[in-house]
Short mmCIF file of all heavy atoms in Angstrom, two decimals:
data_model
loop_
_atom_site.label_atom_id
_atom_site.label_comp_id
_atom_site.label_asym_id
_atom_site.label_seq_id
_atom_site.Cartn_x
_atom_site.Cartn_y
_atom_site.Cartn_z
N TYR A 1 108.23 85.15 88.63
CA TYR A 1 109.03 84.07 88.97
C TYR A 1 110.36 84.00 88.21
O TYR A 1 111.39 83.56 88.81
CB TYR A 1 108.26 82.76 88.74
CG TYR A 1 107.19 82.42 89.81
CD1 TYR A 1 106.00 81.89 89.49
CD2 TYR A 1 107.43 82.77 91.19
CE1 TYR A 1 105.00 81.59 90.46
CE2 TYR A 1 106.44 82.58 92.03
CZ TYR A 1 105.32 82.01 91.70
OH TYR A 1 104.34 81.72 92.73
N ASN A 2 110.38 84.43 86.96
CA ASN A 2 111.67 84.59 86.27
C ASN A 2 112.52 85.64 86.91
O ASN A 2 113.72 85.50 87.01
CB ASN A 2 111.43 84.86 84.73
CG ASN A 2 111.04 83.61 84.07
OD1 ASN A 2 111.47 82.53 84.39
ND2 ASN A 2 110.07 83.74 83.16
N GLN A 3 111.92 86.75 87.36
CA GLN A 3 112.65 87.77 88.00
C GLN A 3 113.24 87.31 89.31
O GLN A 3 114.38 87.60 89.68
CB GLN A 3 111.75 89.03 88.20
CG GLN A 3 112.48 90.17 88.86
CD GLN A 3 111.49 91.37 89.13
OE1 GLN A 3 110.26 91.19 89.17
NE2 GLN A 3 112.12 92.57 89.40
N LEU A 4 112.39 86.54 90.08
CA LEU A 4 112.83 86.00 91.35
C LEU A 4 114.01 85.19 91.20
O LEU A 4 115.00 85.18 92.03
CB LEU A 4 111.63 85.26 91.97
CG LEU A 4 111.81 84.69 93.37
CD1 LEU A 4 111.76 85.81 94.34
CD2 LEU A 4 110.70 83.70 93.82
N ALA A 5 114.16 84.39 90.12
CA ALA A 5 115.26 83.42 89.90
C ALA A 5 116.44 84.22 89.36
O ALA A 5 117.49 84.04 89.87
CB ALA A 5 114.79 82.28 88.92
N ARG A 6 116.22 85.06 88.32
CA ARG A 6 117.32 85.66 87.64
C ARG A 6 117.89 86.86 88.33
O ARG A 6 119.11 87.05 88.49
CB ARG A 6 116.89 86.08 86.15
CG ARG A 6 116.62 84.91 85.26
CD ARG A 6 116.01 85.45 83.92
NE ARG A 6 116.92 86.21 83.13
CZ ARG A 6 117.83 85.72 82.21
NH1 ARG A 6 117.76 84.47 81.96
NH2 ARG A 6 118.59 86.58 81.69
N GLN A 7 117.06 87.71 88.82
CA GLN A 7 117.46 89.06 89.34
C GLN A 7 117.76 88.86 90.85
O GLN A 7 118.77 89.47 91.43
CB GLN A 7 116.49 90.06 89.18
CG GLN A 7 116.88 91.42 89.68
CD GLN A 7 115.80 92.52 89.37
OE1 GLN A 7 115.04 92.36 88.41
NE2 GLN A 7 115.90 93.65 90.12
N PHE A 8 116.93 88.08 91.59
CA PHE A 8 117.04 87.99 93.03
C PHE A 8 117.81 86.69 93.45
O PHE A 8 118.12 86.54 94.66
CB PHE A 8 115.62 87.92 93.72
CG PHE A 8 114.84 89.22 93.46
CD1 PHE A 8 113.54 89.23 93.35
CD2 PHE A 8 115.56 90.44 93.36
CE1 PHE A 8 112.78 90.44 93.13
CE2 PHE A 8 114.84 91.68 93.07
CZ PHE A 8 113.46 91.60 93.04
N GLY A 9 118.10 85.76 92.60
CA GLY A 9 118.81 84.62 92.97
C GLY A 9 118.07 83.74 93.86
O GLY A 9 118.66 83.07 94.70
N ALA A 10 116.73 83.61 93.63
CA ALA A 10 115.92 82.81 94.47
C ALA A 10 115.02 81.84 93.51
O ALA A 10 113.92 82.02 93.36
CB ALA A 10 114.96 83.60 95.35
N ALA A 11 115.75 80.82 93.08
CA ALA A 11 115.17 79.87 92.22
C ALA A 11 114.48 78.64 93.01
O ALA A 11 114.77 78.59 94.14
CB ALA A 11 116.08 79.34 91.09
N GLY A 12 113.65 77.86 92.41
CA GLY A 12 113.14 76.71 92.96
C GLY A 12 111.66 76.76 93.17
O GLY A 12 111.11 77.85 93.43
N ASP A 13 110.90 75.62 93.06
CA ASP A 13 109.45 75.59 93.15
C ASP A 13 108.97 75.94 94.57
O ASP A 13 107.94 76.53 94.65
CB ASP A 13 108.91 74.24 92.69
CG ASP A 13 109.55 73.07 93.34
OD1 ASP A 13 110.25 73.22 94.35
OD2 ASP A 13 109.33 71.95 92.84
N PHE A 14 109.76 75.54 95.59
CA PHE A 14 109.25 75.96 96.88
C PHE A 14 109.43 77.46 97.23
O PHE A 14 108.77 78.00 98.09
CB PHE A 14 109.89 75.01 98.05
CG PHE A 14 109.08 75.05 99.33
CD1 PHE A 14 107.74 74.61 99.28
CD2 PHE A 14 109.62 75.50 100.52
CE1 PHE A 14 107.01 74.50 100.42
CE2 PHE A 14 108.81 75.35 101.59
CZ PHE A 14 107.53 74.90 101.62
N ALA A 15 110.45 78.06 96.57
CA ALA A 15 110.59 79.48 96.72
C ALA A 15 109.37 80.14 96.08
O ALA A 15 108.82 81.19 96.55
CB ALA A 15 111.87 79.90 96.02
N GLN A 16 108.93 79.58 94.95
CA GLN A 16 107.68 80.09 94.23
C GLN A 16 106.46 79.86 95.08
O GLN A 16 105.59 80.77 95.18
CB GLN A 16 107.56 79.51 92.89
CG GLN A 16 108.78 79.73 91.95
CD GLN A 16 108.77 78.94 90.64
OE1 GLN A 16 107.95 78.03 90.52
NE2 GLN A 16 109.58 79.26 89.67
N ALA A 17 106.39 78.80 95.68
CA ALA A 17 105.22 78.40 96.56
C ALA A 17 105.17 79.34 97.81
O ALA A 17 104.15 79.73 98.23
CB ALA A 17 105.34 76.95 97.06
N TYR A 18 106.42 79.66 98.34
CA TYR A 18 106.43 80.64 99.40
C TYR A 18 105.84 81.99 99.15
O TYR A 18 105.14 82.51 99.94
CB TYR A 18 107.98 80.87 99.84
CG TYR A 18 108.20 82.12 100.55
CD1 TYR A 18 107.78 82.24 101.86
CD2 TYR A 18 108.97 83.11 99.94
CE1 TYR A 18 108.08 83.52 102.48
CE2 TYR A 18 109.28 84.29 100.54
CZ TYR A 18 108.80 84.51 101.89
OH TYR A 18 109.12 85.74 102.49
N VAL A 19 106.02 82.42 97.84
CA VAL A 19 105.42 83.68 97.40
C VAL A 19 103.91 83.64 97.59
O VAL A 19 103.22 84.57 98.06
CB VAL A 19 105.83 84.02 95.94
CG1 VAL A 19 105.12 85.24 95.50
CG2 VAL A 19 107.30 84.30 95.92
N ILE A 20 103.33 82.56 97.04
CA ILE A 20 101.87 82.39 97.17
C ILE A 20 101.37 82.28 98.56
O ILE A 20 100.42 82.93 99.01
CB ILE A 20 101.42 81.14 96.35
CG1 ILE A 20 101.76 81.40 94.85
CG2 ILE A 20 99.92 80.94 96.49
CD1 ILE A 20 101.63 80.12 94.03
N ALA A 21 102.15 81.51 99.33
CA ALA A 21 101.69 81.23 100.71
C ALA A 21 101.87 82.51 101.52
O ALA A 21 101.06 82.71 102.48
CB ALA A 21 102.65 80.13 101.40
N HIS A 22 102.79 83.41 101.20
CA HIS A 22 102.85 84.64 101.95
C HIS A 22 101.62 85.55 101.63
O HIS A 22 101.04 86.11 102.59
CB HIS A 22 104.12 85.43 101.50
CG HIS A 22 104.29 86.81 102.03
ND1 HIS A 22 104.84 87.12 103.24
CD2 HIS A 22 103.80 88.03 101.50
CE1 HIS A 22 104.71 88.39 103.47
NE2 HIS A 22 104.20 88.93 102.37
N GLU A 23 101.15 85.59 100.42
CA GLU A 23 99.98 86.40 100.03
C GLU A 23 98.77 85.82 100.68
O GLU A 23 97.87 86.48 101.08
CB GLU A 23 99.85 86.52 98.59
CG GLU A 23 101.06 87.21 97.89
CD GLU A 23 101.44 88.56 98.43
OE1 GLU A 23 100.48 89.23 98.94
OE2 GLU A 23 102.60 88.99 98.36
N VAL A 24 98.66 84.44 100.75
CA VAL A 24 97.53 83.84 101.38
C VAL A 24 97.59 84.19 102.93
O VAL A 24 96.64 84.29 103.51
CB VAL A 24 97.61 82.29 101.27
CG1 VAL A 24 96.62 81.56 102.10
CG2 VAL A 24 97.30 81.93 99.75
N GLY A 25 98.84 84.33 103.50
CA GLY A 25 98.96 84.74 104.80
C GLY A 25 98.38 86.03 105.10
O GLY A 25 97.72 86.30 106.18
N HIS A 26 98.44 86.93 104.13
CA HIS A 26 97.76 88.25 104.30
C HIS A 26 96.26 88.02 104.26
O HIS A 26 95.43 88.73 104.90
CB HIS A 26 98.16 89.20 103.07
CG HIS A 26 99.49 89.79 103.19
ND1 HIS A 26 99.89 90.33 104.41
CD2 HIS A 26 100.53 89.93 102.34
CE1 HIS A 26 101.10 90.81 104.25
NE2 HIS A 26 101.59 90.54 103.06
N HIS A 27 95.80 87.05 103.40
CA HIS A 27 94.27 86.78 103.40
C HIS A 27 93.79 86.30 104.73
O HIS A 27 92.78 86.74 105.24
CB HIS A 27 94.07 85.71 102.31
CG HIS A 27 92.55 85.32 102.26
ND1 HIS A 27 91.53 86.18 101.89
CD2 HIS A 27 91.97 84.18 102.51
CE1 HIS A 27 90.36 85.56 102.02
NE2 HIS A 27 90.63 84.29 102.33
N VAL A 28 94.69 85.46 105.38
CA VAL A 28 94.23 84.89 106.73
C VAL A 28 94.29 86.15 107.69
O VAL A 28 93.37 86.30 108.51
CB VAL A 28 95.32 83.92 107.20
CG1 VAL A 28 95.17 83.57 108.62
CG2 VAL A 28 95.29 82.67 106.33
N GLN A 29 95.25 87.01 107.63
CA GLN A 29 95.25 88.26 108.46
C GLN A 29 93.98 89.05 108.26
O GLN A 29 93.44 89.58 109.20
CB GLN A 29 96.44 89.14 108.11
CG GLN A 29 97.73 88.51 108.54
CD GLN A 29 98.95 89.46 108.14
OE1 GLN A 29 99.06 89.87 106.98
NE2 GLN A 29 99.89 89.66 109.11
N ASN A 30 93.53 89.10 106.97
CA ASN A 30 92.29 89.89 106.67
C ASN A 30 91.15 89.23 107.34
O ASN A 30 90.21 89.84 107.94
CB ASN A 30 92.09 89.98 105.23
CG ASN A 30 91.07 91.08 104.76
OD1 ASN A 30 91.01 92.07 105.39
ND2 ASN A 30 90.42 90.84 103.70
N LEU A 31 91.08 87.81 107.33
CA LEU A 31 89.91 87.14 107.88
C LEU A 31 89.92 87.23 109.41
O LEU A 31 88.77 87.33 110.05
CB LEU A 31 89.97 85.74 107.47
CG LEU A 31 89.83 85.32 106.03
CD1 LEU A 31 89.91 83.85 105.74
CD2 LEU A 31 88.54 85.93 105.47
N ILE A 32 91.06 87.21 110.18
CA ILE A 32 91.08 87.32 111.57
C ILE A 32 91.04 88.71 112.14
O ILE A 32 91.18 88.90 113.29
CB ILE A 32 92.21 86.50 112.12
CG1 ILE A 32 93.56 87.13 111.68
CG2 ILE A 32 92.07 85.02 111.64
CD1 ILE A 32 94.80 86.28 112.27
N GLY A 33 91.09 89.67 111.20
CA GLY A 33 90.95 91.11 111.70
C GLY A 33 92.25 91.92 111.75
O GLY A 33 92.17 93.08 112.12
N VAL A 34 93.33 91.26 111.37
CA VAL A 34 94.64 92.02 111.62
C VAL A 34 94.70 93.12 110.60
O VAL A 34 95.13 94.27 110.86
CB VAL A 34 95.78 91.02 111.38
CG1 VAL A 34 97.12 91.74 111.29
CG2 VAL A 34 95.80 90.02 112.55
N LEU A 35 94.44 92.85 109.27
CA LEU A 35 94.59 93.85 108.25
C LEU A 35 93.60 95.07 108.45
O LEU A 35 94.01 96.19 108.24
CB LEU A 35 94.41 93.23 106.83
CG LEU A 35 95.55 92.43 106.34
CD1 LEU A 35 95.28 92.08 104.87
CD2 LEU A 35 96.86 93.26 106.41
N PRO A 36 92.33 94.77 108.67
CA PRO A 36 91.44 95.86 108.97
C PRO A 36 91.83 96.74 110.04
O PRO A 36 91.69 98.02 109.97
CB PRO A 36 90.06 95.14 109.36
CG PRO A 36 90.18 93.82 108.62
CD PRO A 36 91.63 93.42 108.76
N LYS A 37 92.34 96.17 111.18
CA LYS A 37 92.75 96.99 112.29
C LYS A 37 94.00 97.80 111.83
O LYS A 37 94.14 99.06 112.26
CB LYS A 37 93.10 96.11 113.43
CG LYS A 37 93.56 96.89 114.68
CD LYS A 37 93.83 95.95 115.84
CE LYS A 37 94.28 96.76 117.10
NZ LYS A 37 94.46 95.85 118.25
N PHE A 38 94.99 97.18 111.14
CA PHE A 38 96.19 97.91 110.77
C PHE A 38 95.74 99.02 109.78
O PHE A 38 96.35 100.26 109.90
CB PHE A 38 97.07 97.02 109.97
CG PHE A 38 98.24 97.70 109.28
CD1 PHE A 38 99.09 98.55 109.94
CD2 PHE A 38 98.44 97.58 107.89
CE1 PHE A 38 100.13 99.16 109.35
CE2 PHE A 38 99.52 98.17 107.24
CZ PHE A 38 100.37 98.97 107.94
N ASN A 39 94.92 98.83 108.85
CA ASN A 39 94.45 99.93 107.94
C ASN A 39 93.80 101.00 108.64
O ASN A 39 93.87 102.24 108.19
CB ASN A 39 93.61 99.32 106.78
CG ASN A 39 94.37 98.42 105.81
OD1 ASN A 39 95.55 98.67 105.61
ND2 ASN A 39 93.69 97.39 105.34
N GLN A 40 93.04 100.70 109.66
CA GLN A 40 92.29 101.71 110.44
C GLN A 40 93.36 102.62 111.19
O GLN A 40 93.23 103.76 111.30
CB GLN A 40 91.42 101.10 111.43
CG GLN A 40 90.58 102.11 112.25
CD GLN A 40 89.68 101.42 113.23
OE1 GLN A 40 89.79 100.25 113.54
NE2 GLN A 40 88.73 102.18 113.76
N MET A 41 94.38 101.89 111.83
CA MET A 41 95.39 102.69 112.67
C MET A 41 96.33 103.44 111.69
O MET A 41 96.80 104.51 112.14
CB MET A 41 96.17 101.60 113.46
CG MET A 41 95.38 100.82 114.47
SD MET A 41 96.36 99.56 115.21
CE MET A 41 97.85 100.47 115.89
N ARG A 42 96.55 102.99 110.50
CA ARG A 42 97.56 103.64 109.73
C ARG A 42 97.31 105.12 109.35
O ARG A 42 98.27 105.83 109.25
CB ARG A 42 97.77 102.82 108.42
CG ARG A 42 98.86 103.33 107.41
CD ARG A 42 99.22 102.28 106.43
NE ARG A 42 98.09 101.73 105.77
CZ ARG A 42 98.31 100.71 104.85
NH1 ARG A 42 99.50 100.16 104.56
NH2 ARG A 42 97.20 100.22 104.29
#
């Protein structure tokens, strides 16, 4: 989060929340079968 603010210029608590929500988005993809299918095709 310090790197996100200092190096990438993306400060703020909702910017930090977005990072977590994005990774949770991958979890949702895993549950609905998107990630398994992608890993099989890759």
Side-chain angles (χ1 to χ4, degrees):
Y1 284 144
N2 283 324
Q3 183 183 17
L4 188 67
R6 291 173 64 93
Q7 183 176 338
F8 298 148
D13 52 12
F14 201 59
Q16 297 171 351
Y18 155 71
V19 172
I20 298 172
H22 173 89
E23 300 306 332
V24 172
H26 283 313
H27 177 64
V28 173
Q29 289 177 314
N30 198 30
L31 296 181
I32 64 179
V34 172
L35 284 189
K37 183 177 181 180
F38 169 58
N39 288 328
Q40 181 182 18
M41 295 172 57
R42 181 163 50 183

